[in-house]
Amino acid sequence: MRPNRRRRGCAPGGVCFGVRVPALYILVAIGLSGCAPAADPARPPDLVVVSLDTLRADRLGAYGNRDGLTPSLDRFASEAVLFEHAYTQATNTGPAHASLFTSRYASEQDAGVRKPAIAPETKTLAEVLDAYGWDTAAFVGGGDLAPEMGIGRGFGTWSSKVDFGSLWHTTPLALSWLDQRPAGAAPSLLFVHGYDVHMPYLKPTPFGYTRADKDAVGPGQDAVRSTTERMLDGWFHGGMSGLMHAETSEVRPRSPDARARTLAVARTDRVPPREAAATDLALVRGVYDGSVTYADAMFGLLMAGLQDRGVLDRSVVVVLSDHGEQLGEDGVFHHSWGVSDAEAHVVLMVRLPGGAEGGRRVTGQVGLIDVMPTLLELVGAAPPARIHGQSFAAGLRGEPFAGRPVAWTQGGRDFMLLGARTPAGRLVYSGMPARSPVAAELVETAALPGPSFTAHGSLDAAAQGALRGEMAPWLRTLSPAPAQQDDATLPDALRASLRAHGYWDVQP
Amino acid sequence: MILWWMLACTDAPTGPWTREAALAPQLARMDLDRDGRIIGPEYEHVRYAGAFFPAVDTDHDGFFSVAELDTLTTGQDPVTFFLGLTRMQEGPQGRGGMQGGMQGGPPGMGRPGGGAPGGFQGPSGPGAGPSAGPGASIQAGAAPSAGPPGHAAVWTALMLLREEVLARDPGASVPSSEEIAAVEAAGGFDTPAAHAALTTLETASTRLGLGFPASLRATAP
């Protein structure tokens, strides 16, 4: 497929389209195993990307969970190629999607964590497809994907009607957009996103308490029912609503001072600290699981809508999560704190037209950063220069596919955590967290390089050394971008909504 | 009645994707006695801040069906649901409002050519749908008041610097956690105790080449 130069022209700024062989999308169009319905081989498949925000991979039956939380997603897995070891490149919504759409890392984007605008010289997936004459539309749940965040660059439509909205909000709009497309319209990229699993976890009856006791009392219940709960450093943080603070009994604070620090925050907020028991943790996790069942139902409704319109079987449908969620495992709750599996291991499934190759499982490591080059390969479009992703189309075809040797994840609310994940284990660089302008100033003034590398798994000394060598260029590029640096540039309502959902935990 | 149970219990559902297949598993989760139907107490077991059973059993047959779950789910905006919880916590007026169920939602939720009664009526363009309603609600209702500003940022910076100093020189003279907490609690740096603590930390930090942020520099009491 060639860029539609007559209609769109070559995008200024230097997207270099090379000569492409359209054979691959012909393979996709006819079904890689020959079992898909007939399709026009001259037309690439449509693309549908579904992002389920904050969904941990380990909650899906297809990823080994045995609690029956996700029958719709599990069914989808049976019709798709599932990547067992998929990792996000950033554990926060905005940067993770920026990597998804640009195949570049979070620290290469134009701004900090809170406003991860895409760097001007970077080409997005939507921009590339637009140059080929595609129609592109996105229906997202606001928050970190609100238009002001700049993630939607290149999309013809970027609809964000509700902050922290669900597929409940975005699915009708997406299906309406499909309904309005005329017969014979250009190929399309449709992106649908929802915060169904995102905090606040509690979802409406009858989903919210399916997996937890609604009559339980205690700090866990209080946290679940508090709009402004923020769970920091092993503590439930009640915030302005003043419900409570509590330390988890399962995980100790990461440093002896964490307890004192949290007590000080509690004093500042004038709320009493309350210890949480294991039952409190179980309740929080159960309510999170309830939100997973809700997301699964909403996802099933979306799939039904796509199928009713004939879109499902003529499209490549990618289902992913942008990051996971800490549920106390590392002494914290929420996300964007770390780079461990709880946050970094994500859902990634690709349904080819007609469900071809359905049920295949790929063990090689991949990242969300690899999605863009894969999709471009599947539709015969040339990827832009300067991307870091590697196509995993070979894995979709069932060909030998080793995956990427290292999957990188940036974490922390200032990208000062960098994880290098190999099949043998993980090496994590932990820099100094700069969660506030004052702390950032401290980092700059003191020129602190970050104190530690930590190895997980069975990385030997040689492997650690090699990874450190690869990390070195990264670490030189990490600026101590304070989490609040963009605060003043955002609309008041959006900023307040983000704060209500657990961001900007430290006030300047 | 048994159809949803069969759908829910199939390990790998096949056939067309349907709304029924998407929602039936939730009924299976609610079916405490595993008899393939949901009666009032089973619904009430998981009901929270939503309509009572008689209101959702719209055909009055005594059972909660997939179609009734579809109607209920379609009518409940998950965002405004949570705002409703907030109102409920804030006072009896909000509590009373919640008991009628969260029925203010818009969605068509994928029904080709149609929508929920009183809600989103299907295809009307990308700019249509749940726009002003829930969007306006969350922005107006969920935004918390500013609350006390606190000095957590100061606390964080001081504690981090203290840890850095001790990591390089475990024997260094640094303020204790309690002394740093006192700085924060004082709400300023101009008390004698704050001045002493900050001076101690700056001295140790500077000696080790770590520097010290100007915004935290102690001022004379």
Side-chain angles (χ1 to χ4, degrees), chain B residues 7-218:
Chain B
L7 288 169
C9 291
T10 305
D11 286 335
T14 57
W17 288 83
T18 63
R19 300 180 63 83
E20 193 169 36
L23 295 169
Q26 181 58 27
L27 291 189
R29 295 184 194 103
M30 298 164 64
D31 187 13
L32 299 177
D33 61 7
R34 299 287 175 186
D35 68 348
R37 55 190 187 179
I38 305 302
I39 58 176
E42 289 170 322
Y43 172 85
E44 293 295 335
H45 183 72
V46 295
R47 184 192 67 80
Y48 180 74
F52 291 103
F53 183 74
V56 299
D57 179 23
T58 53
D59 62 4
H60 310 295
D61 69 348
F63 303 110
F64 186 54
S65 66
V66 174
E68 288 161 342
L69 172 60
D70 195 340
T71 300
L72 176 66
T73 301
T74 300
Q76 294 185 128
D77 183 331
V79 170
T80 55
F81 167 80
F82 207 79
L83 294 177
L85 298 190
T86 305
R87 289 193 293 271
M88 186 171 66
Q89 290 164 348
E90 288 172 350
Q93 183 174 2
R95 183 183 300 273
M98 289 300 300
Q99 296 305 323
M102 301 301 295
Q103 300 294 341
M109 277 315 299
R111 288 190 175 115
F120 183 51
Q121 293 300 322
S124 53
S131 53
S137 297
I138 182 68
Q139 296 197 354
S145 58
H151 301 278
V154 174
W155 169 267
T156 301
L158 292 175
M159 290 303 299
L160 290 172
L161 183 57
R162 177 178 180 274
E163 292 172 10
E164 286 297 321
V165 168
L166 291 176
R168 286 163 173 72
D169 180 5
S173 175
V174 295
S176 67
S177 297
E178 290 72 21
E179 289 169 328
I180 291 178
V183 173
E184 181 194 18
F189 305 152
D190 53 356
T191 65
H195 183 264
L198 291 169
T199 300
T200 300
L201 187 56
E202 181 175 4
T203 300
S205 174
T206 303
R207 177 175 62 80
L208 293 169
L210 295 177
F212 199 79
S215 60
L216 294 181
R217 189 150 292 137

Side-chain angles (χ1 to χ4, degrees), chain A residues 230-252:
Chain A
R230 293 173 294 174
M231 304 177 182
L232 311 176
D233 294 333
W235 290 68
F236 302 149
H237 180 83
M240 275 72 79
S241 61
L243 285 183
M244 38 74 69
H245 293 256
E247 182 183 12
T248 70
S249 58
E250 182 177 87
V251 183
R252 309 315 305 172

